[in-house]
């Protein structure tokens, strides 16, 4: 059979500037790096989609809140769980017109 193209996600930021525990973990653990890259893509795709100004504002403010939550993590499991929850959350916004952008769900990242 044909295998689906697996996107090789990697951290969405410059690892040379990694500062916090979460950022360092993302840069040292391949799984966390994949989760970060996938979330950055989902988030960008959803911001660009026609979800309406209100939803776009909510998406941005919940992302800031989520980042604070991620930064408070003290172990890699906490970081991974935060990403898995947020990956799916970001994709839950309904699209007003046009197609819903492709989204990578938490279960897609191994």
């Amino acid at each position: 059979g044909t295998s689906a193209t697996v996107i090789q996600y990697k951290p969405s930021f410059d690892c040379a500037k990694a500062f916090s525990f979460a950022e360092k973990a993302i840069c040292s653990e391949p799984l966390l790096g994949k989760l970060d890259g996938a979330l950055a893509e989902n988030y960008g795709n959803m911001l660009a989609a026609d979800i309406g100004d209100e939803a776009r504002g909510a998406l941005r403010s919940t992302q800031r809140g989520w980042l604070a939550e991620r930064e408070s993590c003290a172990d890699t499991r906490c970081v991974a769980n935060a990403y898995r929850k947020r990956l799916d959350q970001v994709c839950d916004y309904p699209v007003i017109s046009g197609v819903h952008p492709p989204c990578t769900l938490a279960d897609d990242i191994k």
Side-chain angles (χ1 to χ4, degrees):
T2 58
S3 62
T5 309
V6 176
I7 301 168
Q8 288 305 314
Y9 289 114
K10 56 189 192 305
S12 64
F13 56 90
D14 181 356
C15 280
K17 298 186 173 81
F19 177 74
S20 65
F21 171 83
E23 288 176 349
K24 288 177 177 159
I26 290 158
C27 290
S28 62
E29 298 270 338
L31 174 68
L32 296 179
K34 283 187 206 167
L35 288 166
D36 184 75
L39 178 58
E41 185 170 279
N42 283 0
Y43 181 70
N45 287 347
M46 289 304 289
L47 279 180
D50 182 14
I51 58 175
D53 293 342
E54 199 176 316
R56 193 170 289 109
L59 181 60
R60 283 201 174 100
S61 64
T62 55
Q63 184 74 2
R64 283 193 293 272
W66 174 81
L67 273 170
E69 189 184 312
R70 182 196 79 180
E71 290 304 299
S72 69
C73 282
D75 61 60
T76 53
R77 178 179 289 171
C78 170
V79 177
N81 287 343
Y83 270 98
R84 291 193 181 280
K85 191 173 80 179
R86 185 66 182 156
L87 266 172
D88 293 350
Q89 237 174 25
V90 165
C91 294
D92 282 343
Y93 288 87
V95 172
I96 295 169
S97 68
V99 291
H100 195 286
C103 258
T104 299
L105 298 177
D107 292 347
D108 299 337
I109 306 278
K110 301 282 186 271

